[in-house]
Amino acid sequence: ALRQVAAFAAALRAAADADLFRYAVSTLGRRIPELLGADAETLLPGGADGYRAALSRSERLSEAEDLLRSAAGRLKERGGLHAERRQRDAVERAKAIIEDRISDHALSTAAIAAEVGLSASYLRDLFKRLEGVALLEYVGSRRLELAMRLLSGSDASVREICDRAGFINYSYFFTYFKKATG
């Protein structure tokens, strides 16, 4: 829609016709708020009514373009906020999957990414950027925390605890545990 508006503005600039300019301003005053729907009040400078009023006071195409640029900038900013929220939600879903399936030996980046609906490499990068720790490192630390709780609070054997905490094999569990806890 914004590309169409830009093309429309270019045609107006080329025509330099005052009647065409008034018609265009009137049309943009109606169509842009319609396109934005309920978001028009927050995206348009002064809301839909303020935008229409400012647009109707425009005497030059550059003034109308400035109003449109302002709306486009707000729309882009809002889109960025939505993207950040979606990314945060994806990481939170990944963490919930990890908590739910911590004992699963097949829990991998690819399996988590498939459930979240992202590629494994994108999820890895996103998780690292938002959490400050690699995804598999996070999984390992959650498994280690579970194993430590089980070791101190149950009568289960170390082999059983290793399995319940989702570690692949017994010797790896010992190596990982010793490295992490000293």
Side-chain angles (χ1 to χ4, degrees):
L2 293 175
R3 281 190 208 122
Q4 291 173 336
V5 170
F8 190 56
L12 276 176
R13 202 176 296 113
D17 182 335
D19 290 332
L20 182 59
F21 177 75
R22 284 287 147 223
Y23 171 75
V25 165
S26 171
T27 301
L28 290 172
R30 278 190 332 275
R31 294 293 293 145
I32 298 296
E34 285 174 11
L35 285 170
L36 296 175
D39 292 332
E41 291 305 315
T42 55
L43 293 175
L44 294 174
D49 291 336
Y51 163 78
R52 283 187 195 101
L55 197 57
S56 69
R57 289 190 304 271
S58 298
E59 294 182 16
R60 290 187 301 278
L61 183 59
S62 61
E63 294 169 354
E65 287 176 321
D66 288 344
L67 287 168
L68 293 170
R69 269 192 219 89
S70 175
R74 288 178 186 206
L75 186 60
K76 184 178 179 182
E77 180 182 300
R78 191 166 192 189
L81 293 174
H82 286 299
E84 288 173 27
R85 188 176 313 131
R86 282 191 310 272
Q87 291 172 346
R88 173 56 52 201
D89 288 347
V91 167
E92 292 304 319
R93 282 194 318 273
K95 288 167 70 175
I97 291 165
I98 292 165
E99 294 305 314
D100 289 343
R101 295 184 39 206
I102 197 73
S103 297
D104 184 354
H105 296 278
L107 186 63
S108 65
T109 302
I112 297 166
E115 283 192 48
V116 173
L118 300 173
S119 73
S121 61
Y122 181 71
L123 179 60
R124 248 191 322 270
D125 294 345
L126 183 63
F127 198 94
K128 175 76 173 179
R129 182 170 52 84
L130 294 180
E131 293 297 314
V133 63
L135 179 63
L136 288 181
E137 189 178 334
Y138 177 82
V139 171
S141 69
R142 299 302 297 149
R143 285 180 168 161
L144 185 63
E145 288 173 23
L146 175 59
M148 289 168 50
R149 279 196 315 272
L150 292 171
L151 284 167
S152 66
S154 80
D155 292 333
S157 71
V158 176
R159 280 195 190 275
E160 232 179 292
I161 290 171
C162 169
D163 190 53
R164 276 198 225 160
F167 285 93
I168 295 170
N169 65 51
Y170 193 57
S171 62
Y172 176 73
F173 171 66
F174 273 122
T175 303
Y176 192 83
F177 191 91
K178 185 175 181 180
K179 182 179 177 185
T181 64

